[in-house]
Amino acid sequence: MALTLEEAVARLGDKTSAKRRSAAKRLGALADEAAGPALLDALRREADVRRSWETKYEMAIALGACGHRPAIGLLTELALRPTEDDAVHSALGEAIVRLRSLDEGLAAPLEWCLDQGDRSLTDGALRAASILGGAPTPTTVGRILDLLDPLDPYDGLRYWAAVAAAKWPGERVDVFLESCAAGPRADVSEAARASLDTRRADA
């Protein structure tokens, strides 16, 4: 049986990383704001635990899903730390955009992630944009495309942008999506075609 909210919160303190990780993943699926304080405390404890990147990943994702705004400070601090755990930075980018966008809209947190020059943060930020829907400002869209247009067509950083761009403004977005749709990477191409179909249906 799946863990209840209370059981998952209690398991965040388990001595076994795998159980802490499964608890965080369950709380992310529940997306209940009531879990936020416990998740924030758990991530604070986990932050300096070596070789627990998967657990940090699930805790960050869960904090974003739960909408726990007080986590923004810690998530930002961790995002600014150098690390070889790219997946963790991707999760941090996603969570930061999801949480900050609640008050600031999409553009400001997306711009912040872009400003850091960190591919993984940017990847997570674009994933959050695809989850949230809606559109950043034209200026922010331009910055994103300035980053993505020169990339190798096999580069996976294009994927979440291709998913999210269905609602983005501007003819330049159509050009980007058409380029992705014609590209050699199947997942990016499929996402771009779906976004183009949505844009044409809404036109």
Side-chain angles (χ1 to χ4, degrees):
M1 289 180 61
L3 296 175
T4 65
L5 176 72
E6 294 76 15
E7 289 169 340
V9 165
R11 190 173 285 188
L12 289 173
D14 197 276
K15 65 181 181 180
T16 305
S17 181
K19 290 186 177 180
R20 298 194 301 273
R21 179 165 64 252
S22 66
K25 188 170 184 177
R26 173 61 176 158
L27 292 171
L30 290 170
D32 190 324
E33 191 171 356
L39 278 164
L40 178 55
D41 287 343
L43 180 58
R44 191 174 285 114
R45 293 191 302 268
E46 200 76 31
D48 295 317
V49 177
R50 297 183 63 188
R51 292 180 295 184
S52 69
W53 69 267
E54 293 170 297
T55 304
K56 295 184 187 80
Y57 175 94
E58 294 295 350
M59 288 178 176
I61 292 291
L63 280 164
C66 290
H68 190 59
R69 291 173 176 85
I72 292 170
L74 178 61
L75 294 168
T76 301
E77 174 191 332
L78 295 177
L80 293 173
R81 292 185 185 180
T83 181
E84 295 179 358
D85 296 327
D86 291 342
V88 174
H89 269 207
S90 178
L92 292 168
E94 177 182 326
I96 287 167
V97 171
R98 292 186 71 167
L99 294 176
R100 285 184 54 181
S101 68
L102 295 171
D103 297 316
E104 303 175 56
L106 271 175
L110 278 170
E111 294 262 0
W112 184 86
C113 289
L114 290 169
D115 287 344
Q116 308 317 306
D118 182 317
R119 280 179 55 94
S120 298
L121 273 181
T122 298
D123 187 57
L126 293 171
R127 183 170 63 202
S130 75
I131 293 168
L132 296 170
T137 64
T139 299
T140 303
V141 170
R143 280 199 65 188
I144 293 168
L145 297 182
D146 285 345
L147 172 67
L148 298 179
D149 280 342
L151 296 181
D152 185 282
Y154 283 99
D155 197 309
L157 193 58
R158 291 167 171 254
Y159 175 76
W160 289 113
V163 174
K167 301 292 185 179
W168 290 3
E171 293 181 5
R172 188 179 172 192
V173 176
D174 293 309
V175 174
F176 168 73
L177 288 172
E178 287 163 1
S179 171
C180 288
R185 182 163 169 151
D187 57 344
V188 175
S189 176
E190 182 178 346
R193 287 197 300 271
S195 289
L196 284 167
D197 287 344
T198 299
R199 292 171 74 81
R200 289 163 183 157
D202 292 345

